[in-house]
């Protein structure tokens, strides 16, 4: 029970940190915004203090992940996505960033008809499936262990006439990228910038899969200062622009394009 409680805290992000830009993700201290942590008590700026709060199951914001299935309607199609939080964790649930990016695509902000599209860290596959329904030829990727689940979701949702337009493939950002020789028109990613150790490999992967005409769309919730570090790394190689903000769900969509050499 205690380990489950700690896991919930870690995922919700209830921490006192140097970055307290939003009440959704950390408990703000009584210090000024520049310190925010217990710096006045001698803690290093990068140290972390957990704020334990009473757990109320009726207010559990993770409860939606425990639903066995979630149903969405995009591009005139009903998508039923099974969730398996207990066994597969973050890869087998639908995150807000994926929903917001799917809505953005459906609204017509990205031309997808006939485009070659790849989704990174596809998870439940919602974004990639919506792109397929909107006319793209898609490859949905994730780590090898997530592929059986992702394949099942895509197969059970896409109409027969579109199954030849979509492919599910394993892609390890830290692995060999030689099996991906082509570049893509559009690269999509929803909630993929939350593990700092993967940032260099994620950037390397996006660079490998893109050319100067490729459009990259990243939908994310900036939970910690370190998440912003990826955007800084990304902007060294790509022109970066904020194109959509969903304040209710605290999700931002960024658009990137390789800088001319």
């Amino acid at each position: 029970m205690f380990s489950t409680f700690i896991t919930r805290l870690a995922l919700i992000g209830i921490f006192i940190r140097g970055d307290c830009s939003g009440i959704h993700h950390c408990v703000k201290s009584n210090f000024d915004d520049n310190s925010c942590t217990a710096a006045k008590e001698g803690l290093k700026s990068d140290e972390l203090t957990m704020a334990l709060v009473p757990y109320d199951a009726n207010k559990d914001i993770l409860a939606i992940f425990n639903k066995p299935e979630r149903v969405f309607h995009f591009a005139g199609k009903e998508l039923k996505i099974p969730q398996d939080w207990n066994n597969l964790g973050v890869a087998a649930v639908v995150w807000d960033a994926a929903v917001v990016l799917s809505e953005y695509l459906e609204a017509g902000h990205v031309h997808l008809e006939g485009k070659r599209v790849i989704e990174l860290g596809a998870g439940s596959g919602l974004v990639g499936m919506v792109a397929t329904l909107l006319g793209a030829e898609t490859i949905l990727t994730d780590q090898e262990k997530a592929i059986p689940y992702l394949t099942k979701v895509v197969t059970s949702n896409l109409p027969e006439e579109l199954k030849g337009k979509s492919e599910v493939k394993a892609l390890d950002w830290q692995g060999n990228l030689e099996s991906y020789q082509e570049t893509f028109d559009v690269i999509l990613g929803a909630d993929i910038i939350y593990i700092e150790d993967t940032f260099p490999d994620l950037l390397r992967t996006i660079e490998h899969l893109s050319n100067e005409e490729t459009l990259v769309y990243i939908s994310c919730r900036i939970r910690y200062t370190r998440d912003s570090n990826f955007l800084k790394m990304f902007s060294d190689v790509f022109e970066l622009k904020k194109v959509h903000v969903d304040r209710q769900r605290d999700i931002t969509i960024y658009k990137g394009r390789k800088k001319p050499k």
Side-chain angles (χ1 to χ4, degrees):
M1 289 295 293
F2 183 72
S3 62
T4 300
F5 176 63
I6 295 300
T7 301
R8 290 177 185 275
L9 286 175
L11 286 164
I12 297 171
I14 304 179
F15 296 110
I16 299 175
R17 303 185 54 87
D19 175 14
C20 278
S21 57
I23 61 172
H24 298 292
H25 314 305
C26 66
V27 178
K28 196 165 185 177
S29 72
N30 291 325
F31 302 141
D32 58 86
D33 289 341
N34 292 326
S35 61
C36 185
T37 62
K40 295 185 179 180
E41 300 195 11
L43 291 181
K44 296 178 181 178
S45 61
D46 60 349
E47 285 183 335
L48 173 73
T49 301
M50 183 182 296
L52 296 179
V53 296
Y55 173 63
D56 183 349
N58 294 323
K59 298 180 180 179
D60 184 2
I61 65 172
L62 297 178
I64 196 169
F65 298 147
N66 288 314
K67 289 185 176 182
E69 181 180 80
R70 294 182 67 185
V71 179
F72 300 89
H73 293 86
F74 285 103
K77 178 76 170 74
E78 182 179 76
L79 302 174
K80 296 182 178 180
I81 300 182
Q83 298 192 130
D84 194 358
W85 170 264
N86 291 328
N87 293 314
L88 296 175
V90 296
V93 295
V94 182
W95 295 91
D96 284 346
V99 179
V100 173
L101 183 52
S102 296
E103 293 170 350
Y104 184 81
L105 297 179
E106 186 182 44
H109 297 296
V110 184
H111 178 63
L112 293 171
E113 184 70 38
K115 300 296 184 181
R116 289 285 294 157
V117 175
I118 187 167
E119 183 185 4
L120 304 179
S124 67
L126 179 63
V127 174
M129 289 190 293
V130 171
T132 307
L133 292 171
L134 294 172
E137 297 180 9
T138 61
I139 298 180
L140 287 74
T141 69
D142 211 311
Q143 295 185 59
E144 186 69 48
K145 62 184 178 182
I147 294 304
Y149 164 78
L150 178 56
T151 301
K152 179 181 177 181
V153 174
V154 172
T155 302
S156 64
N157 278 286
L158 286 183
E160 285 296 327
E161 64 271 19
L162 291 181
K163 288 181 179 177
K165 298 286 188 179
S166 182
E167 183 180 2
V168 174
K169 291 180 64 176
L171 175 56
D172 184 350
W173 307 337
Q174 297 177 320
N176 193 326
L177 300 175
E178 289 184 0
S179 61
Y180 290 84
Q181 292 295 326
E182 65 178 316
T183 57
F184 292 82
D185 299 312
V186 179
I187 298 174
L188 303 172
D191 231 339
I192 58 175
I193 57 170
Y194 59 94
I195 300 178
E196 190 170 20
D197 289 346
T198 68
F199 290 174
D201 295 305
L202 174 57
L203 181 58
R204 177 179 70 99
T205 299
I206 296 175
E207 286 188 80
H208 179 82
L209 298 172
S210 62
N211 55 53
E212 291 185 3
E213 300 301 318
T214 301
L215 299 179
V216 183
Y217 292 89
I218 297 175
S219 176
C220 61
R221 173 179 292 142
I222 301 300
R223 297 174 175 85
Y224 311 112
T225 300
R226 65 170 182 261
D227 297 346
S228 297
N229 292 339
F230 176 79
L231 297 177
K232 294 176 183 177
M233 294 169 56
F234 187 83
S235 63
D236 287 338
V237 184
F238 291 80
E239 296 173 350
L240 183 65
K241 181 180 180 181
K242 185 186 297 184
V243 294
H244 179 72
V245 177
D246 186 313
R247 299 192 184 282
Q248 182 177 359
R249 286 172 287 193
D250 194 17
I251 300 295
T252 301
I253 298 176
Y254 296 90
K255 175 182 177 181
R257 189 170 183 171
K258 264 185 180 175
K259 294 179 178 178
K261 292 183 179 180

